[in-house]
C-alpha cells in the first residue's frame, strides 16, 4: 500500500530526517543501532529524507534512503526539488531513485540558495515538477506536495497559494505535507479553505518538535515567517538565554538550566499541538525527527501516535 492509500484508510505517522554532511553523522543516523534503527521501533509508516539545495546533499540523501529501503521496516520518501536541475537531470536522478527501489517523493520547488532569485533549473514551480514527473514516469511515483497553511512566504495571496495547491492536485499529486504552522486558528481556516476550493488530497501535518530555542526561532523566521502564538513566545521569553540564544558563548549563568526547562516546556507544547491537529480531522502526523531519537520518541509516545497502527 502506498502512503496516500494508507491515509485514505487511517491516520499515518511518519518521521523526517536530513542527510548528514559527515561520516560521523552518517554512522550516527544509519549505522547499526543508530537513529534510523531506533526510529523503526516506533513503527512509522514512512521516513522521509530531505534534499539539499542545488543537489549538494543528494549523495547522502540516496545513502540514507538506500538504508531505509534495504531495511524494509517502512516506506522511504525522498524530498526532491527543482533547484539547479535540468529536465534531463531530473529524469536521470528519478530513474536512479526507482532503480534503488525508492518510489515515493515530495515534489518541491526547493528553498532558493542564498543570493539566488530563481531555481536556476528548467522548472520553476512544484506544479511544473509534478506535471513533469507524471508525464515522464506515469504512476511509478507516489507524489507528495507541500502545502502552506499560513501561505508561502513569497505568495502574492493565500488565495493564490491555494489555487497553486489545487493545480498540484490537478497535475497528479497524491497527498499534501504541510509547512510548519503553530497558529491553529489559521490552520483550521486553511483546511476549510482548501476543501472549499476542491482540494480533497489527504493532509499530512508537519510538526517540528520544540526542543531548542535558537532552532525554533530560526525555523520560524529565517525562511517561513511563521506566526508564533503567545504561549510559545512566553516559553521562549521565560527561558531566554542572555544575551541571545544564538550567542556561542552566552554570559547567562543558567544556560543549562534554561535549555532544560525550555525543552521540557517545548515538548509539552508540541504534544498539545499534535492533539489539536488530530482533532481537526487531518490524515497524518509527520514529525521532524531532527536526526534524534529520545525526545522525538517521547513526543510520539505521549501524543499517542504509536497507537495509530
Ligand atoms: P511552490 O509550490 O512552487 O511555491 C513557491 C511559490 O511560488 C509560492 O509563493 C507559490 O504561491 C508560488 N507559485 C507556485 N506555483 C506557481 C505558479 N505556477 N505560478 C506562479 N507562482 C506560483 N526545501 C528544500 O530545499 N529541500 C527539502 O528537502 C525541503 N523539504 C521540505 C519539506 C516540507 C514538508 C515542506 C513544507 C517544505 C520543504 N522544503 C524543502 C521547503 C520548500 O522547498 C520551500 O518552502 C520552497 O520555498 C517552496 O516550495 P514549494 O514546493 O511549496 O513551492
Amino acid at each position: 500500500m502506498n502512503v496516500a492509500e494508507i491515509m485514505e484508510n487511517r491516520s499515518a505517522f511518519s518521521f523526517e530526517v536530513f542527510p548528514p554532511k559527515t561520516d560521523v553523522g552518517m554512522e550516527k543516523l544509519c549505522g547499526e543501532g543508530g537513529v534510523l534503527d531506533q526510529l523503526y521501533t516506533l513503527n512509522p509508516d514512512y521516513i522521509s529524507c530531505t534534499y539539499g539545495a542545488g543537489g549538494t546533499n543528494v549523495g547522502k540523501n540516496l545513502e540514507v534512503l538506500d538504508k531505509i529501503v534495504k531495511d524494509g521496516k517502512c516506506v522511504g520518501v525522498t524530498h526532491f526539488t527543482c533547484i539547479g536541475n535540468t529536465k534531463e537531470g531530473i529524469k536521470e536522478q528519478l530513474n536512479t531513485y526507482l532503480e534503488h527501489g525508492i518510489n515515493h517523493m515530495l515534489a518541491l520547488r526547493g528553498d532558493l540558495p542564498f543570493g539566488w532569485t530563481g531555481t536556476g533549473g528548467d522548472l520553476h514551480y512544484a506544479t511544473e515538477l509534478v506535471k513533469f514527473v507524471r508525464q515522464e514516469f506515469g504512476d511509478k511515483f507516489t507524489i507528495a506536495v507541500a502545502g502552506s497553511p499560513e501561505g508561502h512566504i513569497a505568495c502574492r495571496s493565500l488565495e493564490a497559494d491555494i489555487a497553486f495547491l489545487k493545480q498540484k492536485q490537478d497535475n497528479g499529486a497524491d497527498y499534501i505535507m504541510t509547512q510548519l504552522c503553530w497558529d491553529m486558528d489559521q490552520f483550521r481556516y486553511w483546511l476549510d479553505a482548501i476543501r472549499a476550493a476542491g482540494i480533497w488530497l489527504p493532509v499530512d501535518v508537519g510538526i517540528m518538535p520544540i526542543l531548542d530555542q535558537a532552532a525554533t526561532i530560526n525555523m520560524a523566521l529565517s525562511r517561513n515567517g511563521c506566526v508564533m502564538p503567545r504561549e510559545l513566545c512566553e516559553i521562549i521569553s521565560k527561558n531566554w538565554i542572555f544575551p541571545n540564544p544564538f550567542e556561542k558563548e552566552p554570559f547567562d549563568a543558567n544556560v543549562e538550566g534554561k535549555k532544560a526547562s525550555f525543552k521540557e516546556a517545548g515538548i509539552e507544547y508540541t504534544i498539545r499541538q499534535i492533539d489539536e491537529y488530530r482533532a481537526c480531522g487531518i490524515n497524518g502526523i509527520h514529525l521532524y525527527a531532527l536526526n534524534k531519537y529520545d525526545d522525538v520518541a517521547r513526543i510520539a509516545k505521549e501524543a499517542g501516535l504509536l497507537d495509530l497502527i
Side-chain angles (χ1 to χ4, degrees), residues 16-17 19 48-54 61 78-83 106-112 124-128 145-148 151-158 160-162 164-165 167-168 177-180 204 206 223-224 286 288:
E16 178 169 316
V17 297
S48 77
C49 182
T50 61
Y51 178 99
N61 155 291
T78 187
H79 298 203
F80 191 83
T81 78
C82 304
I83 305 295
L106 169 59
L108 299 155
R109 182 198 67 179
D111 278 327
L112 302 185
H124 309 97
Y125 298 106
T127 45
E128 294 172 28
V145 288
S148 301
H152 180 262
I153 188 70
C155 70
R156 60 176 176 260
S157 67
L158 185 63
D161 221 32
I162 290 173
F164 295 129
L165 187 58
Q167 209 173 329
K168 293 181 194 181
M177 290 167 73
T178 63
Q179 184 56 274
L180 189 65
D204 197 11
R223 285 185 184 274
N224 298 320
H286 181 65
Y288 302 176

Side-chain angles (χ1 to χ4, degrees), residues 72-299:
K73 305 284 186 195
C74 66
V75 172
V77 177
T78 187
H79 298 203
F80 191 83
T81 78
C82 304
I83 305 295
N85 277 327
T86 59
K87 287 184 180 175
E88 272 316 300
I90 293 172
K91 271 205 278 190
E92 208 176 289
Q93 290 174 68
L94 294 185
N95 270 318
T96 303
Y97 282 120
L98 286 177
E99 282 160 18
H100 287 239
I102 301 147
N103 61 3
H104 280 64
M105 66 183 291
L106 169 59
L108 299 155
R109 182 198 67 179
D111 278 327
L112 302 185
F114 186 71
W116 290 34
T117 51
T119 61
D122 287 345
L123 306 179
H124 309 97
Y125 298 106
T127 45
E128 294 172 28
L129 180 58
V130 175
K131 192 174 181 181
F132 181 72
V133 177
R134 283 290 177 239
Q135 268 169 3
E136 297 296 326
F137 294 91
D139 287 335
K140 287 184 181 159
F141 282 97
T142 296
I143 305 178
V145 288
S148 301
E150 293 176 277
H152 180 262
I153 188 70
C155 70
R156 60 176 176 260
S157 67
L158 185 63
E159 289 71 25
D161 221 32
I162 290 173
F164 295 129
L165 187 58
K166 173 72 164 52
Q167 209 173 329
K168 293 181 194 181
Q169 171 177 290
D170 295 346
N171 288 357
D174 293 302
Y175 70 102
I176 297 166
M177 290 167 73
T178 63
Q179 184 56 274
L180 189 65
C181 174
W182 289 302
D183 181 344
M184 291 308 299
D185 288 340
Q186 175 62 27
F187 181 82
R188 289 185 198 96
Y189 174 83
W190 174 82
L191 193 58
D192 285 348
I194 65 167
R195 296 308 185 212
I199 300 172
W200 43 262
L201 293 177
V203 172
D204 197 11
V205 170
I207 302 272
M208 191 187 77
I210 296 170
L211 304 174
D212 176 85
Q213 213 175 76
T216 303
I217 299 168
N218 194 28
M219 187 71 177
L221 300 181
S222 68
R223 285 185 184 274
N224 298 320
C226 286
V227 165
M228 283 198 187
R230 169 78 191 189
E231 192 187 345
L232 181 52
C233 293
E234 278 180 13
I235 294 172
I236 293 172
S237 295
K238 283 179 184 163
N239 296 288
W240 190 260
I241 294 170
F242 287 94
N244 67 67
F246 296 99
E247 176 63 50
K248 286 224 159 51
E249 291 175 13
F251 55 69
D252 197 318
N254 188 22
V255 173
E256 293 313 316
K258 284 181 174 177
K259 279 189 175 170
S261 59
F262 177 84
K263 193 200 267 191
E264 188 55 34
I267 286 175
E268 285 167 14
Y269 184 90
T270 307
I271 292 167
R272 281 198 302 280
Q273 201 197 13
I274 293 173
D275 294 340
E276 283 194 64
Y277 271 123
R278 291 180 66 193
C280 293
I282 48 110
N283 306 93
I285 294 286
H286 181 65
L287 264 181
Y288 302 176
L290 311 167
N291 294 14
K292 297 174 193 222
Y293 174 72
D294 292 342
D295 297 322
V296 174
R298 179 179 157 199
I299 291 169

